[in-house]
């Protein structure tokens, strides 16, 4: 037997072993393999077809390599597949926004650079096998052209998804989440001794908490995140039938509001004395302070029979309702329910529907309203309701909740989703809250991260600041540091806001 024939056999059996082992490993842990593909910055939107195509290709190539009659096709296919893997890894390392985890299996101990070297070696080995096979037939020129064509085709096979996947992922997502490495990292935690706190805001670098049980108590977390102090607010009038007195912080001022009275107080954090700034102007069920002159609120408009958003001018006391922002789909009550949040850094407020994949951005400085979708596919609110004999609307079945709560900073929204995306691990959902990040400047999805439960306690509140992300879980407040990618989104939002001013 000639040496060239022996070399061809060795190369063929090497690829058979490599591809069969790789294919079987993927099949045995197929769910995890799909999750890994879904996290790829290049292949996220093609995770379904790619996960099957790679396994089928590896098995078909192995089959061809087993038989001398089809071995040359197997070697060309091996060259193409290893070239595709090489180009893919090169793009991941040099052009990806983040580098995902390495694949498992026989090469799980290798990093991305080692993978690149290994794949280049395999591609060269396949090319050598092809030349040795053709040498027996003396067709070098034609073989070289075929090898070059195979490399070009393989390059295109990877480049096209690379160019289109990011656009589809960020703007036309089909509910596939991306989890960059450590977008937030836990920094510190503090035991508050109770679980009745909520976030009121941030002032001078200090986190301010309100308390559902003690509504006139302000809790101030020091910047070192080691101690907290509590103060009692004094009101100019207490004789109101309060039901839900809520605290809001804006710069050095605080606001207390109860929309069922309805009343809004305003005071200074230095004096802790509050005076009535609005009384019986309008009823509301949600409120957000935009600046010292404007307050956004949500109310139920009896004329249109749907929820409406409005702006209260704190100086004049006048308010204006906009009936065109919140859109009715079914009953106008439950289907329009959502959360009103404000971005204190940009004087922008947002309305995020609970039961459909829609975020509304309202910029007061530009008097503009725009919309963008969250990445899930629930366009129509899945709520069922009926009108009772007394005219009240009652929900007749539990609704499908899409978005649970949100917070915003510098045009970046952190939204807690209630739905599991494609190719995600169900066990993770049992022990974590899922947070999706949206950039409202370019209306895109930036990525997601998990906030882990603590001692079976789930997250009850979250707040985004300039430098830290905060959560309330059980009796604790936890502070996290942002990764560089999130800080870059903040800087883009800051620059955009400065330009608009």
């Amino acid at each position: 037997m000639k040496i060239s024939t022996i070399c061809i056999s060795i190369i063929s059996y090497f690829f058979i072993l490599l591809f069969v082992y790789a294919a079987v490993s993927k099949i045995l842990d197929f769910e995890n393999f799909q999750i890994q593909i879904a996290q790829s910055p290049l292949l996220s939107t093609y995770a379904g077809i790619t996960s099957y195509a790679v396994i089928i290709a590896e098995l078909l190539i192995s089959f061809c390599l087993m038989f001398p009659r089809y071995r040359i096709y197997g070697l060309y296919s091996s060259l193409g597949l290893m070239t595709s893997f090489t180009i893919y890894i090169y793009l991941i390392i040099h052009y990806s926004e983040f580098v995902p985890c390495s694949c498992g299996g026989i090469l799980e101990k290798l990093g991305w650079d080692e993978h690149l070297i290994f794949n280049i070696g395999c591609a060269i080995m396949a090319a050598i096998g092809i030349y040795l096979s053709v040498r027996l037939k003396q067709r070098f020129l034609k073989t070289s052209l075929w090898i070059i064509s195979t490399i070009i085709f393989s390059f295109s096979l990877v480049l096209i998804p690379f160019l289109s996947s990011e656009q589809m992922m960020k703007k036309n997502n089909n509910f596939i989440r991306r989890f960059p490495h450590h977008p937030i990292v836990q920094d510190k935690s503090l035991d508050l001794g109770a679980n009745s706190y909520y976030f009121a805001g941030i002032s001078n670098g200090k986190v301010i908490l309100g308390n559902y049980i003690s509504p006139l108590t302000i809790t101030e977390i020091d910047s070192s995140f080691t101690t907290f102090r509590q103060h009692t607010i004094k009101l100019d009038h207490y004789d109101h039938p309060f039901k839900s007195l809520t605290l809001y912080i804006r710069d050095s001022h605080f606001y207390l509001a109860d929309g069922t009275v309805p009343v809004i107080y305003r005071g200074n954090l230095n004096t802790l004395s509050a005076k009535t700034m609005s009384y019986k102007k309008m009823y509301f069920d949600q409120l957000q302070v935009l600046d010292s002159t404007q307050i956004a609120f949500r109310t139920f408009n009896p004329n249109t029979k749907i929820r409406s958003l409005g702006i209260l001018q704190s100086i004049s006391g006048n308010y204006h309702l906009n009936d065109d922002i919140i859109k009715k789909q079914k009953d106008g009550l439950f289907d329009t329910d959502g959360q009103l949040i404000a971005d204190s850094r940009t004087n922008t407020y947002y309305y995020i529907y609970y039961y459909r994949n829609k975020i509304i951005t309202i910029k007061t400085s530009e008097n503009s309203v725009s919309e963008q979708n969250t990445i899930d596919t629930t366009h129509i609110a899945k709520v069922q309701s009926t009108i009772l004999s007394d005219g009240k609307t009652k929900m007749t079945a539990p609704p499908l909740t899409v978005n649970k709560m949100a917070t915003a900073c510098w045009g970046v929204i952190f939204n807690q989703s209630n739905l599991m995306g494609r190719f995600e691990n169900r066990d993770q959902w049992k022990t974590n809250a899922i947070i999706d990040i949206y950039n409202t400047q370019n209306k895109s999805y930036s990525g997601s991260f998990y906030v882990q439960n603590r001692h079976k306690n789930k997250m009850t509140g979250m707040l985004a600041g300039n430098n830290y992300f905060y959560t309330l879980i059980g009796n604790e407040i936890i502070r996290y540091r942002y990764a560089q990618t999130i800080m870059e989104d903040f800087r883009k939002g800051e620059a955009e806001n400065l330009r608009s001013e």
Side-chain angles (χ1 to χ4, degrees), residues 97-387:
E97 290 184 357
F98 70 96
V99 179
C101 297
S102 290
C103 297
I106 194 171
L107 302 175
E108 63 181 345
K109 301 300 182 182
L110 297 183
W112 284 103
D113 290 326
E114 290 79 6
H115 267 292
L116 182 63
I117 295 172
F118 177 82
N119 288 346
I120 291 174
C122 289
I124 294 174
M125 188 183 301
I128 292 173
I130 294 171
Y131 274 117
L132 290 175
S133 299
V134 176
R135 185 180 180 182
L136 302 177
K137 303 176 183 178
Q138 299 295 318
R139 293 190 300 181
F140 295 108
L141 180 59
K142 187 176 181 179
T143 299
S144 299
L145 292 175
W146 273 106
I147 288 177
I148 293 173
S149 300
T150 301
I151 293 173
I152 293 174
F153 175 77
S154 302
F155 179 81
S156 302
L157 205 60
V158 177
L159 187 61
I160 292 173
F162 170 70
L163 295 175
S164 62
S165 185
E166 283 299 282
Q167 171 69 15
M168 294 177 65
M169 189 72 183
K170 292 184 176 182
K171 298 292 184 68
N172 306 306
N173 192 288
N174 57 351
F175 209 7
I176 299 176
R177 285 194 172 90
R178 174 178 294 169
F179 295 90
H181 290 332
H182 310 298
I184 60 170
V185 179
Q186 183 174 327
D187 179 59
K188 290 185 178 181
S189 63
L190 182 63
D191 191 346
L192 301 172
N195 62 359
S196 55
Y197 293 96
Y198 62 89
F199 287 113
I202 297 175
S203 178
N204 296 322
K206 298 178 181 180
V207 178
I208 311 297
L209 304 177
N211 195 310
Y212 293 113
I213 297 176
S214 180
L216 296 182
T217 298
I218 286 183
T219 301
E220 181 182 274
I221 313 293
D222 72 312
S223 56
S224 65
F225 225 72
T226 56
T227 59
F228 63 91
R229 293 189 302 169
Q230 295 184 325
H231 312 278
T232 301
I233 298 172
K234 298 178 182 179
L235 305 179
D236 59 352
H237 294 288
Y238 293 89
D239 52 344
H240 296 302
F242 298 121
K243 292 184 178 180
S244 180
L245 197 59
T246 306
L247 176 68
Y248 306 88
I249 302 297
R250 185 66 167 87
D251 299 327
S252 60
H253 289 86
F254 70 87
Y255 299 77
L256 279 169
D258 189 332
T260 60
V261 173
V263 64
I264 303 175
Y265 300 92
R266 184 175 186 265
N268 192 289
L269 286 171
N270 295 323
T271 62
L272 296 175
S273 295
K275 295 183 179 181
T276 303
M277 62 168 289
S278 175
Y279 179 53
K280 289 189 176 181
K281 293 288 184 180
M282 74 288 177
Y283 290 90
F284 55 90
D285 55 9
Q286 290 191 44
L287 180 146
Q288 289 293 332
V289 181
L290 302 179
D291 54 36
S292 59
T293 63
Q294 297 184 103
I295 296 176
F297 65 92
R298 187 186 77 168
T299 188
F300 185 79
N301 192 328
N303 297 323
T304 61
K305 303 298 182 182
I306 65 172
R307 302 180 194 271
S308 297
L309 297 181
I311 293 291
L312 171 68
Q313 302 294 336
S314 57
I315 296 177
S316 64
N318 298 323
Y319 71 90
H320 171 72
L321 287 181
N322 191 327
D323 299 327
D324 299 324
I325 297 177
I326 298 179
K327 306 294 185 181
K328 175 182 176 180
Q329 289 184 332
K330 295 182 179 180
D331 54 49
L333 179 63
F334 298 116
D335 67 317
T336 58
D337 201 4
Q339 182 185 7
L340 178 66
I341 64 172
D343 186 345
S344 62
R345 310 306 305 176
T346 62
N347 289 338
T348 302
Y349 65 104
Y350 309 94
Y351 191 73
I352 304 174
Y353 290 102
Y354 285 137
Y355 308 125
R356 49 178 135 153
N357 63 344
K358 190 74 69 178
I359 298 173
I360 305 174
T361 300
I362 306 99
K363 294 186 177 181
T364 56
S365 60
E366 302 174 8
N367 195 27
S368 64
V369 178
S370 61
E371 295 182 347
Q372 71 184 89
N373 292 332
T374 56
I375 59 174
D376 63 272
T377 56
T378 309
H379 301 289
I380 305 298
K382 297 180 180 179
V383 295
Q384 299 179 28
S385 61
T386 185
I387 299 177

